[in-house]
Amino acid sequence: MNDVDLTLSQKHLVLVFAYAPTGLGHLRVTEALYRGLAPEVNSILLRAQDSQGEFWHYVTSIMPGGPAFLEWSQKGLPELLFTKVYRFLLRSQTKTLYQQMSTILDERIELPKTVLVVATHFGLAHQLAQIKEALELDKWVKIILVVQVTDDTDQHIWYVPGADMIFVPSEKTKKALESYGKIHNLPPVRFEVLPYPITPALAEKLTAEQMQNKLAQLDKDSKSMIETAIPISGAAVGMDFSLILMDELHKLSARFRFCIISRYASYTQPFLAKLTERQFAELEVSPSTREIVDKYEDVYERKVISLEMTKPSEQAFKALFNPNQRGGSILLFAKPVGKQEYDNLDFLRRHGLIPLESEQKALWQKAARGLPSDGLGGEEVVQKAAHWRGIIIPHQPKHAAQFIWWCLNEGLFTAMAGSFIEARDYNHTDELGSDGVQKFWKKIAQLVKEVG
């Protein structure tokens, strides 16, 4: 074992993953971090017992007016007031969590000296910070609280006083949160910038044959089936959009074949029932959110996926994979919901991983008019596309299908399949790469040595 594994596998150390079931994003990050551990490292999964959080996530994501209210509450004075009130509520409702943590420690055969908590949701992070000192005194343990921000967003609620370390995907977000803490006289917190933790399971390099398969899928003159993944979000945003998009793409070409990964719930059942009637659609379904995350990874391990249609949630950071890696599909981003998804798109633009807004608008206009991609701002569009890992599709499904078909026929997707992040000269190397999980655990091992 290496030094990191030796540090984290000590018998007197307990590793607790704390997540909330509000969507799939927090669980996906937890799963990615878990996959980066050696088998010798024992860990425990702690799920927030917060049904209200799940309800509000669903309401603000999919109910009429919900997304608009969410975005209003994430800016300016509404955000300042919301953060203050929500932080107070979270930190005043810790009884259940205290009992959960006490049970975890009391049932250990080997009495722990150090408890390392990795929180991928701000709710549990605030509550754990609140009970941290009392648990240390009651159980005679040292508690280390680490928080992983699950979007490249500077939403104030992610500033967790009492955390030992908070990981963010960019220097921009780090500076913004540090500034917020200083302005509002909050206890200082240590922020670290690392590449976003995407699952190591999908970092495997494709074989030469598999890469040829992917390139054939993206060749307009090929007859190869175009394998397209469509993961449905935890709140099931965009089901109608996805259904129409699939139908329209199949009308344009029978080469398109879709794999839909979705949770089975009362609100997804009608959508899933319609899909069973479509021979060009394959379903991966489970009532368990944890199993859905596993099924998503299994799809990528079984198939060579060339395209994925998704929201710019935490899935946006799959753009850090290269095309010759198993998870390196071209990402087709649907309409964002919430400030954090706009922030994720901004991250991708800053690093040249998707077109600039002006370029995106020009592409949509060319596609709508059926014009060739003979230039974009004085430069060949295909040359620009050679640097992109994703692209935003129009918000109307029929227009989106036409745009995807145009990109395929204009050779944009073929160009994008040659985009390799490692070959570029970036100033912010701490923000890029598919090795964020490994770097995360290396930092954590250093922290455990410092304060454990």
Side-chain angles (χ1 to χ4, degrees):
M1 288 194 294
N2 59 37
D3 187 54
V4 172
D5 296 334
L6 285 170
T7 300
L8 298 177
S9 62
Q10 298 173 81
K11 289 186 178 180
H12 64 76
L13 183 143
V14 177
L15 172 55
V16 179
F17 287 105
Y19 84 99
T22 51
L24 293 170
H26 308 289
L27 182 56
R28 278 201 180 102
V29 175
T30 301
E31 178 79 9
L33 293 173
Y34 171 75
R35 290 290 190 98
L37 290 171
E40 295 80 11
V41 180
N42 293 316
S43 58
I44 298 168
L45 189 62
L46 176 65
R47 180 181 183 272
Q49 305 300 311
D50 181 14
S51 58
Q52 290 183 349
E54 291 183 72
F55 171 75
W56 282 110
H57 176 72
Y58 174 77
V59 168
T60 55
S61 297
I62 201 169
M63 296 296 286
F69 174 79
L70 176 65
E71 291 176 20
W72 172 81
S73 70
Q74 292 175 323
K75 299 175 184 177
L77 182 60
E79 182 185 14
L80 288 173
L81 294 174
F82 168 81
T83 302
K84 190 172 184 179
V85 172
Y86 195 23
R87 186 168 57 222
F88 170 78
L89 291 174
L90 287 169
R91 290 180 176 247
S92 63
Q93 299 175 3
T94 59
K95 183 178 179 180
T96 299
L97 182 59
Y98 193 94
Q99 291 173 343
Q100 285 179 288
M101 289 295 295
S102 295
T103 300
I104 287 172
L105 298 177
D106 291 341
E107 292 183 350
R108 297 285 296 185
I109 294 177
E110 185 83 24
L111 292 176
K113 296 179 182 178
T114 304
V115 180
L116 170 62
V117 182
V118 177
T120 58
H121 189 271
F122 52 77
L124 276 173
H126 280 289
Q127 291 178 317
L128 286 160
Q130 182 68 23
I131 65 175
K132 179 181 171 184
E133 185 176 346
L135 271 173
E136 288 180 326
L137 292 172
D138 186 21
K139 303 298 179 182
W140 287 28
V141 296
K142 175 64 181 177
I143 295 179
I144 303 172
L145 174 59
V146 174
V147 181
Q148 172 65 56
V149 179
T150 54
D151 294 281
D152 184 41
T153 184
D154 60 357
Q155 291 179 77
H156 299 158
I157 197 65
W158 278 109
Y159 193 105
V160 182
D164 294 283
M165 189 176 286
I166 300 178
F167 288 96
V168 293
S170 74
E171 192 69 29
K172 179 183 178 183
T173 292
K174 174 186 175 181
K175 290 179 178 178
L177 287 173
E178 286 177 336
S179 176
Y180 164 75
K182 289 177 182 177
I183 291 171
H184 294 275
N185 299 312
L186 296 174
V189 178
R190 181 178 170 184
F191 286 87
E192 292 284 342
V193 178
L194 285 182
Y196 195 88
I198 49 180
T199 179
L202 300 185
E204 175 190 358
K205 293 288 180 66
L206 295 173
T207 65
E209 183 180 359
Q210 289 170 331
M211 192 60 196
Q212 283 301 118
N213 179 353
K214 177 180 284 190
L215 292 173
Q217 291 185 41
L218 300 174
D219 183 349
K220 64 182 178 69
D221 297 321
S222 170
K223 295 182 180 180
S224 296
M225 301 300 291
I226 303 171
E227 301 288 355
T228 307
I230 302 183
I232 302 300
S233 69
V237 176
M239 288 184 291
D240 290 340
F241 177 94
S242 299
L243 192 64
I244 297 172
L245 176 67
M246 284 184 277
D247 285 343
E248 292 298 318
L249 281 173
H250 185 68
K251 288 178 186 176
L252 291 167
S253 173
R255 290 178 60 198
F256 285 99
R257 185 162 57 193
F258 306 95
C259 186
I260 300 89
I261 308 99
S262 173
R263 183 183 177 191
Y264 185 88
S266 58
Y267 50 87
T268 62
Q269 194 277 330
F271 167 72
L272 297 173
K274 292 176 184 176
L275 285 173
T276 58
E277 303 169 359
R278 289 158 168 81
Q279 294 184 349
F280 52 83
E282 173 187 331
L283 289 175
E284 292 289 345
V285 180
S286 172
S288 165
T289 53
R290 291 174 63 183
E291 190 173 356
I292 285 300
V293 173
D294 291 337
K295 282 181 175 292
Y296 173 83
E297 294 183 6
D298 180 62
V299 166
Y300 269 87
E301 289 170 2
R302 287 190 295 105
K303 297 173 175 284
V304 176
I305 301 294
S306 59
L307 301 175
E308 176 175 319
M309 198 282 288
T310 185
K311 291 197 310 122
S313 58
E314 82 294 336
Q315 292 288 75
F317 294 94
K318 284 181 73 256
L320 298 180
F321 284 125
N322 280 316
N324 67 340
Q325 291 176 288
R326 191 162 290 280
S329 56
I330 291 172
L331 300 171
L332 309 173
F333 292 116
K335 183 179 180 180
V337 177
K339 177 181 181 297
Q340 71 282 358
E341 295 190 1
Y342 287 97
D343 289 342
N344 291 340
L345 291 176
D346 182 59
F347 174 93
L348 298 179
R349 288 193 190 97
R350 294 200 309 272
H351 292 297
L353 298 173
I354 62 173
L356 298 174
E357 289 187 86
S358 58
E359 294 170 340
Q360 187 67 71
K361 183 178 179 180
L363 290 172
W364 284 0
Q365 290 175 345
K366 282 179 174 291
R369 296 171 184 173
L371 299 175
S373 57
D374 54 357
L376 189 65
E379 184 177 351
E380 288 296 318
V381 65
V382 172
Q383 291 177 320
K384 284 183 172 286
H387 298 285
W388 300 334
R389 291 289 299 110
I391 201 162
I392 301 171
I393 58 178
H395 301 157
Q396 296 297 322
K398 290 186 178 182
H399 296 162
Q402 292 168 355
F403 178 70
I404 293 168
W405 183 240
W406 179 83
C407 288
L408 179 73
N409 284 285
E410 290 298 316
L412 268 66
F413 291 154
T414 298
M416 290 168 73
S419 173
F420 288 87
I421 293 172
E422 288 110 337
R424 306 183 199 175
D425 180 20
Y426 281 114
N427 293 324
H428 301 294
T429 54
D430 288 344
E431 301 178 14
L432 298 167
S434 58
D435 58 348
V437 169
Q438 295 93 318
K439 290 181 176 178
F440 177 92
W441 289 121
K442 188 174 181 179
K443 282 284 186 182
I444 293 301
Q446 293 172 353
L447 178 64
V448 169
K449 290 179 180 179
E450 290 174 14
V451 302

